[in-house]
Short mmCIF file of all heavy atoms in Angstrom, two decimals:
data_model
loop_
_atom_site.label_atom_id
_atom_site.label_comp_id
_atom_site.label_asym_id
_atom_site.label_seq_id
_atom_site.Cartn_x
_atom_site.Cartn_y
_atom_site.Cartn_z
N TRP J 1 12.59 -36.15 -5.02
CA TRP J 1 13.81 -35.82 -4.27
C TRP J 1 14.28 -37.06 -3.49
O TRP J 1 13.50 -37.86 -3.07
CB TRP J 1 13.52 -34.68 -3.25
CG TRP J 1 12.70 -33.56 -3.82
CD1 TRP J 1 11.42 -33.23 -3.49
CD2 TRP J 1 13.11 -32.60 -4.81
NE1 TRP J 1 11.03 -32.14 -4.18
CE2 TRP J 1 12.03 -31.71 -5.01
CE3 TRP J 1 14.31 -32.36 -5.51
CZ2 TRP J 1 12.08 -30.65 -5.92
CZ3 TRP J 1 14.37 -31.31 -6.41
CH2 TRP J 1 13.27 -30.44 -6.58
N GLY J 2 15.58 -37.12 -3.23
CA GLY J 2 16.11 -38.23 -2.45
C GLY J 2 17.64 -38.23 -2.48
O GLY J 2 18.26 -37.23 -2.74
N GLN J 3 18.22 -39.41 -2.22
CA GLN J 3 19.66 -39.54 -2.18
C GLN J 3 20.27 -39.05 -3.49
O GLN J 3 19.85 -39.49 -4.58
CB GLN J 3 20.03 -41.01 -1.92
CG GLN J 3 21.42 -41.25 -1.49
CD GLN J 3 21.65 -40.88 -0.02
OE1 GLN J 3 20.74 -40.57 0.69
NE2 GLN J 3 22.89 -40.94 0.40
N ALA J 4 21.26 -38.22 -3.42
CA ALA J 4 21.99 -37.67 -4.62
C ALA J 4 21.15 -36.77 -5.46
O ALA J 4 21.64 -36.29 -6.49
CB ALA J 4 22.64 -38.80 -5.43
N TYR J 5 19.90 -36.56 -5.12
CA TYR J 5 19.04 -35.55 -5.76
C TYR J 5 18.25 -34.90 -4.63
O TYR J 5 17.04 -35.09 -4.49
CB TYR J 5 18.16 -36.20 -6.82
CG TYR J 5 17.68 -35.22 -7.88
CD1 TYR J 5 18.47 -34.94 -9.00
CD2 TYR J 5 16.47 -34.57 -7.78
CE1 TYR J 5 18.06 -34.05 -9.96
CE2 TYR J 5 16.02 -33.66 -8.76
CZ TYR J 5 16.84 -33.44 -9.84
OH TYR J 5 16.46 -32.53 -10.82
N PRO J 6 18.96 -34.14 -3.80
CA PRO J 6 18.42 -33.82 -2.46
C PRO J 6 17.19 -32.92 -2.47
O PRO J 6 17.04 -32.05 -3.32
CB PRO J 6 19.61 -33.20 -1.75
CG PRO J 6 20.49 -32.68 -2.84
CD PRO J 6 20.30 -33.61 -3.98
N GLU J 7 16.34 -33.17 -1.50
CA GLU J 7 15.20 -32.35 -1.26
C GLU J 7 15.67 -30.89 -1.01
O GLU J 7 16.68 -30.67 -0.32
CB GLU J 7 14.43 -32.86 -0.05
CG GLU J 7 13.11 -32.20 0.21
CD GLU J 7 12.35 -32.87 1.36
OE1 GLU J 7 12.84 -33.82 1.95
OE2 GLU J 7 11.22 -32.37 1.67
N PRO J 8 14.95 -29.92 -1.51
CA PRO J 8 15.40 -28.52 -1.38
C PRO J 8 15.53 -28.10 0.07
O PRO J 8 14.69 -28.45 0.95
CB PRO J 8 14.23 -27.72 -2.05
CG PRO J 8 13.71 -28.68 -3.08
CD PRO J 8 13.81 -30.02 -2.43
N LEU J 9 16.63 -27.44 0.36
CA LEU J 9 16.94 -26.95 1.71
C LEU J 9 17.37 -25.48 1.59
O LEU J 9 18.13 -25.13 0.72
CB LEU J 9 18.09 -27.78 2.31
CG LEU J 9 18.52 -27.48 3.72
CD1 LEU J 9 17.47 -28.02 4.71
CD2 LEU J 9 19.87 -28.13 4.02
N PHE J 10 16.80 -24.66 2.46
CA PHE J 10 17.06 -23.21 2.40
C PHE J 10 17.68 -22.76 3.74
O PHE J 10 17.69 -23.50 4.71
CB PHE J 10 15.77 -22.46 2.12
CG PHE J 10 15.02 -22.97 0.92
CD1 PHE J 10 13.98 -23.86 1.05
CD2 PHE J 10 15.41 -22.58 -0.37
CE1 PHE J 10 13.32 -24.35 -0.06
CE2 PHE J 10 14.77 -23.06 -1.48
CZ PHE J 10 13.68 -23.96 -1.33
N ASP J 11 18.25 -21.54 3.72
CA ASP J 11 18.78 -21.02 4.97
C ASP J 11 18.44 -19.53 5.06
O ASP J 11 18.14 -18.88 4.05
CB ASP J 11 20.30 -21.27 5.05
CG ASP J 11 21.06 -20.35 4.10
OD1 ASP J 11 21.26 -20.74 2.95
OD2 ASP J 11 21.54 -19.28 4.53
N GLY J 12 18.53 -19.00 6.26
CA GLY J 12 18.31 -17.59 6.48
C GLY J 12 18.32 -17.26 7.93
O GLY J 12 18.39 -18.18 8.81
N GLU J 13 18.31 -15.96 8.25
CA GLU J 13 18.31 -15.49 9.63
C GLU J 13 16.91 -14.99 9.99
O GLU J 13 16.26 -14.34 9.18
CB GLU J 13 19.35 -14.39 9.83
CG GLU J 13 20.77 -14.89 9.69
CD GLU J 13 21.80 -13.87 10.17
OE1 GLU J 13 21.37 -12.77 10.64
OE2 GLU J 13 23.00 -14.15 10.10
N PHE J 14 16.48 -15.33 11.21
CA PHE J 14 15.15 -14.99 11.67
C PHE J 14 15.21 -14.49 13.11
O PHE J 14 16.04 -14.89 13.89
CB PHE J 14 14.24 -16.22 11.58
CG PHE J 14 14.08 -16.80 10.21
CD1 PHE J 14 15.02 -17.69 9.74
CD2 PHE J 14 13.06 -16.41 9.39
CE1 PHE J 14 14.91 -18.26 8.47
CE2 PHE J 14 12.89 -16.95 8.13
CZ PHE J 14 13.84 -17.87 7.64
N VAL J 15 14.21 -13.67 13.46
CA VAL J 15 14.01 -13.26 14.85
C VAL J 15 13.17 -14.33 15.55
O VAL J 15 12.19 -14.80 14.98
CB VAL J 15 13.26 -11.92 14.91
CG1 VAL J 15 12.98 -11.53 16.36
CG2 VAL J 15 14.06 -10.83 14.21
N VAL J 16 13.57 -14.69 16.74
CA VAL J 16 12.80 -15.66 17.53
C VAL J 16 11.73 -14.93 18.34
O VAL J 16 12.04 -14.17 19.30
CB VAL J 16 13.70 -16.47 18.49
CG1 VAL J 16 12.88 -17.42 19.36
CG2 VAL J 16 14.78 -17.24 17.69
N LEU J 17 10.48 -15.07 17.92
CA LEU J 17 9.39 -14.35 18.57
C LEU J 17 8.80 -15.19 19.72
O LEU J 17 8.15 -14.62 20.62
CB LEU J 17 8.28 -14.07 17.55
CG LEU J 17 8.74 -13.23 16.34
CD1 LEU J 17 7.59 -13.13 15.31
CD2 LEU J 17 9.19 -11.84 16.79
N GLY J 18 8.99 -16.48 19.68
CA GLY J 18 8.47 -17.34 20.74
C GLY J 18 8.97 -18.80 20.52
O GLY J 18 9.36 -19.15 19.42
N TRP J 19 8.89 -19.56 21.59
CA TRP J 19 9.28 -20.97 21.46
C TRP J 19 8.69 -21.80 22.61
O TRP J 19 8.34 -21.25 23.62
CB TRP J 19 10.82 -21.13 21.49
CG TRP J 19 11.48 -20.66 22.76
CD1 TRP J 19 11.91 -19.38 23.05
CD2 TRP J 19 11.78 -21.48 23.92
NE1 TRP J 19 12.45 -19.36 24.33
CE2 TRP J 19 12.38 -20.63 24.86
CE3 TRP J 19 11.62 -22.80 24.22
CZ2 TRP J 19 12.81 -21.10 26.09
CZ3 TRP J 19 12.04 -23.30 25.45
CH2 TRP J 19 12.65 -22.40 26.38
N ARG J 20 8.54 -23.08 22.37
CA ARG J 20 8.09 -24.01 23.40
C ARG J 20 8.61 -25.38 23.06
O ARG J 20 8.90 -25.72 21.91
CB ARG J 20 6.57 -23.98 23.54
CG ARG J 20 5.82 -24.39 22.27
CD ARG J 20 4.31 -24.16 22.47
NE ARG J 20 3.56 -24.37 21.24
CZ ARG J 20 3.08 -25.55 20.86
NH1 ARG J 20 3.25 -26.63 21.63
NH2 ARG J 20 2.40 -25.67 19.76
N ILE J 21 8.66 -26.22 24.09
CA ILE J 21 9.10 -27.63 23.95
C ILE J 21 7.89 -28.47 23.64
O ILE J 21 6.83 -28.33 24.23
CB ILE J 21 9.78 -28.14 25.24
CG1 ILE J 21 10.95 -27.24 25.60
CG2 ILE J 21 10.21 -29.58 25.06
CD1 ILE J 21 11.46 -27.48 27.03
N VAL J 22 8.04 -29.36 22.61
CA VAL J 22 6.98 -30.29 22.22
C VAL J 22 7.51 -31.68 22.48
O VAL J 22 8.56 -32.08 21.97
CB VAL J 22 6.64 -30.11 20.75
CG1 VAL J 22 5.54 -31.13 20.36
CG2 VAL J 22 6.15 -28.69 20.47
N GLY J 23 6.75 -32.47 23.26
CA GLY J 23 7.30 -33.76 23.67
C GLY J 23 8.51 -33.52 24.59
O GLY J 23 8.52 -32.55 25.35
N GLU J 24 9.48 -34.38 24.48
CA GLU J 24 10.67 -34.25 25.32
C GLU J 24 11.86 -33.69 24.55
O GLU J 24 12.80 -33.18 25.18
CB GLU J 24 11.03 -35.61 25.93
CG GLU J 24 9.98 -36.15 26.84
CD GLU J 24 10.44 -37.49 27.41
OE1 GLU J 24 11.49 -37.97 27.05
OE2 GLU J 24 9.68 -38.06 28.27
N ARG J 25 11.81 -33.78 23.23
CA ARG J 25 13.03 -33.48 22.45
C ARG J 25 12.87 -32.42 21.36
O ARG J 25 13.83 -32.03 20.75
CB ARG J 25 13.55 -34.79 21.79
CG ARG J 25 13.94 -35.88 22.78
CD ARG J 25 14.27 -37.17 22.07
NE ARG J 25 14.66 -38.20 22.98
CZ ARG J 25 15.92 -38.47 23.38
NH1 ARG J 25 16.93 -37.73 22.92
NH2 ARG J 25 16.20 -39.43 24.23
N HIS J 26 11.63 -32.01 21.07
CA HIS J 26 11.39 -31.19 19.93
C HIS J 26 11.16 -29.72 20.32
O HIS J 26 10.65 -29.46 21.43
CB HIS J 26 10.20 -31.69 19.10
CG HIS J 26 10.24 -33.20 18.89
ND1 HIS J 26 11.35 -33.84 18.42
CD2 HIS J 26 9.28 -34.16 19.14
CE1 HIS J 26 11.08 -35.14 18.37
NE2 HIS J 26 9.89 -35.34 18.82
N LEU J 27 11.43 -28.84 19.42
CA LEU J 27 11.32 -27.39 19.71
C LEU J 27 10.42 -26.73 18.65
O LEU J 27 10.68 -26.81 17.46
CB LEU J 27 12.70 -26.75 19.66
CG LEU J 27 12.86 -25.34 20.24
CD1 LEU J 27 12.51 -25.33 21.71
CD2 LEU J 27 14.28 -24.80 20.00
N LYS J 28 9.36 -26.16 19.14
CA LYS J 28 8.43 -25.39 18.32
C LYS J 28 8.79 -23.95 18.39
O LYS J 28 8.95 -23.38 19.46
CB LYS J 28 7.01 -25.62 18.78
CG LYS J 28 5.95 -25.03 17.86
CD LYS J 28 5.73 -25.90 16.63
CE LYS J 28 4.54 -25.40 15.83
NZ LYS J 28 4.39 -26.13 14.54
N LEU J 29 8.93 -23.26 17.24
CA LEU J 29 9.41 -21.89 17.18
C LEU J 29 8.43 -21.02 16.42
O LEU J 29 7.81 -21.48 15.43
CB LEU J 29 10.78 -21.80 16.48
CG LEU J 29 11.95 -22.53 17.13
CD1 LEU J 29 13.04 -22.81 16.12
CD2 LEU J 29 12.51 -21.71 18.30
N GLU J 30 8.32 -19.77 16.88
CA GLU J 30 7.65 -18.74 16.08
C GLU J 30 8.72 -17.76 15.67
O GLU J 30 9.43 -17.16 16.50
CB GLU J 30 6.55 -18.03 16.88
CG GLU J 30 5.76 -17.05 16.02
CD GLU J 30 4.65 -16.37 16.77
OE1 GLU J 30 4.49 -16.63 17.98
OE2 GLU J 30 3.88 -15.57 16.16
N LEU J 31 8.88 -17.60 14.33
CA LEU J 31 10.00 -16.80 13.82
C LEU J 31 9.47 -15.59 13.03
O LEU J 31 8.39 -15.63 12.45
CB LEU J 31 10.85 -17.67 12.88
CG LEU J 31 11.42 -18.96 13.49
CD1 LEU J 31 12.17 -19.75 12.40
CD2 LEU J 31 12.35 -18.65 14.66
N GLY J 32 10.29 -14.54 13.04
CA GLY J 32 9.92 -13.35 12.29
C GLY J 32 10.97 -13.07 11.18
O GLY J 32 12.16 -13.20 11.39
N ALA J 33 10.38 -12.74 10.00
CA ALA J 33 11.24 -12.36 8.87
C ALA J 33 10.56 -11.15 8.24
O ALA J 33 9.63 -11.29 7.48
CB ALA J 33 11.41 -13.49 7.88
#
C-alpha cells in the first residue's frame, strides 16, 4: 500500500464507551459496535 494505491481505510459509527488523553495531543478511545 502507498501513494496512489492507498492503504485500506474503513468507516462506521460507534458508541463511545470511554476515552482518555495520551500524551498531550492523542486520544485513546474505547468504542462499542
Side-chain angles (χ1 to χ4, degrees):
W1 317 110
Q3 195 78 6
Y5 204 83
E7 188 176 358
L9 184 73
F10 307 98
D11 74 274
E13 293 192 0
F14 300 86
V15 177
V16 177
L17 302 175
W19 62 273
R20 59 188 173 89
I21 303 167
V22 179
E24 296 180 357
R25 299 173 179 268
H26 315 309
L27 193 63
K28 188 76 173 175
L29 297 159
E30 185 178 4
L31 303 176

